[in-house]
Amino acid sequence: MSKLNLFGLDRESLREQFAAWDEKPYRADQVMQWIYGRGVDDFAAMSNVSKSLRVKLEEVAEISVPELVTEQISTDGTRKWVLRLDGGNAVETVFIPEKDRGTLCISSQVGCALDCSFCSTGKQGFNRNMSTAEIISQVWFANRSMGGNKPLHEMKGRRTISNVVFMGMGEPLANYNEVIPAIKILLDDFGFGLSKRRVTVSTSGLVPFMDRMHQEVDVALAVSLHAPTDELRNELVPINKKYPISELMAACDRYIEGKAQRAHILYEYVMLDGVNDSMVEAKALVKLLAGRQAKVNLIPFNPFPDTEYKRPQALRIRTFCEYLNSHGVIATTRRTRGDDIDAACGQLVGRVKNRQRQRLGESPVRLYRQGAV
Ligand code: SAH
Ligand code: SF4
């Protein structure tokens, strides 16, 4: 009989499972705290769990975590882990230490089907969704490798993971059913105990799932806008043809309705030289965001092999940013981190065996990266 893997079950599911075993809910909570809070994958080490229950768990259950392949550390302190998944696939996770916080950027899919024109993950094609266990294991490994076995929220210092962002490989809302339990584990006091303002889901704009998420969990939302008009956004973010800007903005407004005054949507805007970085776009962006609870994060384009896009000159980005700020739209520019280990935004490629688009099976990006994993 195969054992049930408890890794990746949120509290509700774990409690249901324990009830089926005739065990009290608080026992499930204890086990959950050991797994995530203390990074333990061995029932024997769970010292406050009764001996008889530990023996029973050994028989029927397991804590099975995916395999970690490599860990790289950049000269700027950024770290990158590669997680090996079945079928020869691999995904990447990045940790970005900053003065006042430590952000872990996690992946949610092997590749991505949405094919944004400037995104290296998108150019690789799509293989499959990651499971909740695979998604949450990225946080589990990073925590273990950097902080040992203390609960995240109790750890102090530079290396602590204080924030988790779904900005790695994949479109999190296209893998809704596996991502939501992962979010619940991140927020749960018996899980990783992160504050809801410190977990951010980034989406290219899957409107129906933005609404569903709003009903189910309370986390920060980042939206990959990248263009202020449908004409341009259709070209950069093809899903815009299905959910155009007017529908996207309405969904954003619904998402923060009723939330605290300081709640806002973070609009991501990749800066592509000569494509979306002129004053024409800056003005249109101000018009679009005026009166909305919005912050803009400009992301200087990170190049990858075989792309025709270029990063604009620093001055051009600064001018764009200053225009927004001086016209009532709060904007910041994302600093590029982890360049030397290919860990910057949009550079996460892992190893994706594309199953969707044949032409990408021979993608130079994938071939180029094969040696890297
Ligand atoms: N699929 C989600 C989250 C992953 S991408 C989304 O699209 O929002 C995280 C952010 O990095 C997105 O805003 C994405 O558009 C941006 N990005 C993708 N490729 C990039 C590149 N080459 N340079 C800079 N940013 C990029
Ligand atoms: Fe997918 Fe996001 Fe990349 Fe677009 S930017 S292809 S949605 S990962």
Side-chain angles (χ1 to χ4, degrees):
M1 203 182 73
S2 71
K3 293 184 177 181
L4 180 79
N5 186 12
L6 301 188
F7 194 79
L9 296 185
D10 61 22
R11 185 129 63 105
E12 206 183 325
S13 313
L14 201 60
R15 281 177 162 206
E16 269 170 27
Q17 187 53 55
F18 272 56
W21 287 329
D22 261 343
E23 295 292 342
K24 297 247 162 31
Y26 83 92
R27 291 289 183 203
D29 300 351
Q30 282 179 324
V31 168
M32 188 166 178
Q33 196 161 38
W34 278 107
I35 298 175
Y36 305 107
R38 310 233 165 235
V40 162
D41 58 356
D42 177 8
F43 294 119
M46 301 182 177
S47 55
N48 62 352
V49 176
S50 72
K51 183 84 195 295
S52 59
L53 176 56
R54 277 187 265 154
V55 171
K56 185 164 148 188
L57 286 173
E58 301 269 11
E59 276 165 22
V60 294
E62 62 183 0
I63 302 164
S64 170
V65 190
E67 188 191 347
L68 186 68
V69 202
T70 53
E71 172 172 0
Q72 283 171 281
I73 305 180
S74 158
T75 48
D76 67 11
T78 304
R79 290 165 183 246
K80 183 168 90 171
W81 295 268
V82 177
L83 204 68
R84 180 175 296 148
L85 306 179
D86 58 11
N89 292 301
V91 294
E92 297 179 346
T93 308
V94 175
F95 177 72
I96 307 132
E98 282 168 293
K99 261 207 282 318
D100 55 343
R101 66 180 134 176
T103 303
L104 192 71
C105 176
I106 63 175
S107 297
S108 57
Q109 296 186 305
V110 182
C112 184
L114 296 184
D115 203 19
C116 299
S117 59
F118 53 83
C119 173
S120 163
T121 304
K123 288 296 146 210
Q124 287 187 297
F126 175 71
N127 183 281
R128 69 168 174 83
N129 281 330
M130 288 170 71
S131 68
T132 304
E134 289 167 342
I135 296 168
I136 210 71
S137 72
Q138 301 170 82
V139 189
W140 193 85
F141 277 123
N143 183 34
R144 270 231 312 204
S145 116
M146 294 188 300
N149 53 6
K150 276 215 190 126
L152 291 184
H153 56 285
E154 279 179 18
M155 298 192 324
K156 301 268 185 293
R158 271 178 71 83
R159 285 162 156 206
T160 313
I161 300 166
S162 60
N163 297 51
V164 172
V165 296
F166 284 81
M167 294 185 187
M169 296 167 66
E171 166 52 50
L173 295 188
N175 183 15
Y176 188 83
N177 292 339
E178 301 295 322
V179 164
I180 293 295
I183 292 175
K184 289 181 177 167
I185 296 171
L186 290 174
L187 299 180
D188 198 315
D189 283 342
F190 293 98
F192 290 106
L194 290 167
S195 121
K196 61 187 184 188
R197 280 173 296 113
R198 291 176 175 272
V199 174
T200 303
V201 171
S202 174
T203 181
S204 53
L206 301 189
V207 165
F209 289 101
M210 290 164 66
D211 286 326
R212 272 183 72 182
M213 186 165 80
H214 179 43
Q215 303 298 323
E216 238 179 310
V217 286
D218 189 7
V219 287
L221 184 66
V223 170
S224 290
L225 189 58
H226 305 317
T229 61
D230 283 325
E231 195 190 358
L232 185 54
R233 193 164 191 266
N234 284 346
E235 192 188 304
L236 305 178
V237 185
I239 195 71
N240 192 67
K241 291 177 198 146
K242 198 161 175 194
Y243 305 114
I245 292 177
S246 58
E247 288 180 33
L248 177 61
M249 299 314 289
C252 289
D253 295 345
R254 287 193 293 276
Y255 193 85
I256 44 170
E257 214 174 64
K259 290 199 199 243
Q261 197 70 48
R262 64 196 157 93
H264 62 270
I265 305 280
L266 184 73
Y267 292 94
E268 294 161 289
Y269 194 101
V270 64
M271 294 294 281
L272 304 167
D273 191 34
V275 176
N276 65 353
D277 62 341
S278 77
M279 275 306 117
V280 175
E281 285 83 30
K283 282 179 188 156
L285 197 54
V286 166
K287 216 166 145 200
L288 185 66
L289 298 180
R292 292 196 146 96
Q293 285 161 267
K295 284 187 187 170
V296 173
N297 193 213
L298 301 175
I299 316 174
F301 173 65
N302 289 307
F304 52 89
D306 214 30
T307 178
E308 282 169 11
Y309 292 117
K310 288 191 190 71
R311 181 186 295 184
Q313 298 284 336
L315 178 63
R316 209 167 156 83
I317 299 178
R318 209 180 316 136
T319 309
F320 196 97
C321 192
E322 277 165 11
Y323 183 86
L324 297 182
N325 278 311
S326 60
H327 289 78
V329 176
I330 301 165
T332 50
T333 301
R334 200 176 288 186
R335 244 185 345 130
T336 300
R337 301 290 301 268
D339 244 354
D340 56 335
I341 55 169
D342 291 329
C345 298
Q347 288 189 323
L348 301 189
V349 288
R351 184 190 286 177
V352 179
K353 301 238 161 120
N354 180 43
R355 304 211 302 195
Q356 195 184 46
R357 282 166 281 141
Q358 201 55 44
R359 72 184 167 86
L360 284 166
E362 296 309 315
S363 155
V365 176
R366 189 171 67 83
L367 297 174
Y368 169 82
R369 297 288 177 186
Q370 269 182 348
V373 180

